[in-house]
Amino acid sequence: MTVTMNADELVADLGRERAREVAAHIAYLRRLRQLHERGYTQMKLATLVGVSQPTISEMLRRARVNAPDVRPGTHGGTPYEIAARYAAGELDRDIALRELTTWRYERPAEPNPIPWSNDGAPVVEGGFNNQVGRALRDGLLTDEDYDAVLDALADD
């Protein structure tokens, strides 16, 4: 049986499917990292998932940053993951916004008083812009959701 969707429904469904894919990839990287932490070698993981050892090495590097363990009391290891799960339809708006507004974001270091020394400063991986700002750019949050998080954080 073929179900016909109009273009708007297809676009919305496509967005949800992409968000599911993002959330699933984060979970996949988390599991790889957890197995590696439990003693699985990169070669054993490469054989297990059918990729090369250098590919596993790169995946583990990304997993250390993008796929930490899920924080207790939340639905993700990062705000970006929470936004992905919300966009995928796994969380309702109230829960997602509550978790995004109560998250403790990393603050950037104080800038060096010598202006040129700040060139190439490292990105704060757990910072608001790298997590929630990236979720907005990637279409995991709407402008309204982003503004609601900003407003709530400004009130703190």
Side-chain angles (χ1 to χ4, degrees):
M1 174 179 178
T2 303
V3 177
T4 307
M5 293 179 154
N6 68 38
D8 290 339
E9 292 170 327
L10 284 171
V11 168
D13 198 45
L14 180 66
R16 280 188 298 277
E17 292 300 336
R18 183 180 168 283
R20 284 185 193 109
E21 184 177 52
V22 168
H25 185 69
I26 292 168
Y28 182 78
L29 290 176
R30 178 178 296 120
R31 295 297 177 247
L32 281 174
R33 180 187 51 75
Q34 290 171 336
L35 286 169
H36 189 254
E37 290 169 355
R38 285 169 177 75
Y40 277 63
T41 65
Q42 289 187 14
M43 285 303 299
K44 187 170 184 173
L45 290 171
T47 301
L48 185 67
V49 299
V51 298
S52 68
Q53 178 276 322
T55 299
I56 288 292
S57 179
E58 176 59 23
M59 292 170 83
L60 289 171
R61 185 192 65 74
R62 286 193 322 259
R64 283 184 206 93
V65 173
N66 297 325
D69 291 336
V70 174
R71 282 193 185 178
T74 72
H75 291 86
T78 64
Y80 186 82
E81 182 180 5
I82 291 167
R85 295 194 180 290
Y86 166 53
E90 296 177 20
L91 303 175
D92 69 31
R93 184 175 193 267
D94 291 339
I95 291 171
L97 294 184
R98 183 180 66 244
E99 290 183 11
L100 292 173
T101 57
T102 58
W103 196 273
R104 292 262 191 230
Y105 295 95
E106 293 177 25
R107 303 244 184 239
E110 290 296 318
N112 192 313
I114 304 169
W116 58 265
S117 67
N118 292 313
D119 292 348
V123 172
V124 180
E125 296 293 343
F128 181 83
N129 288 337
N130 194 51
Q131 294 291 322
V132 181
R134 184 168 51 114
L136 174 67
R137 282 190 310 275
D138 291 352
L140 301 174
L141 292 174
T142 64
D143 290 337
E144 294 79 22
D145 295 332
Y146 181 82
D147 289 344
V149 173
L150 276 181
D151 290 345
L153 291 173
D155 290 342
D156 286 347

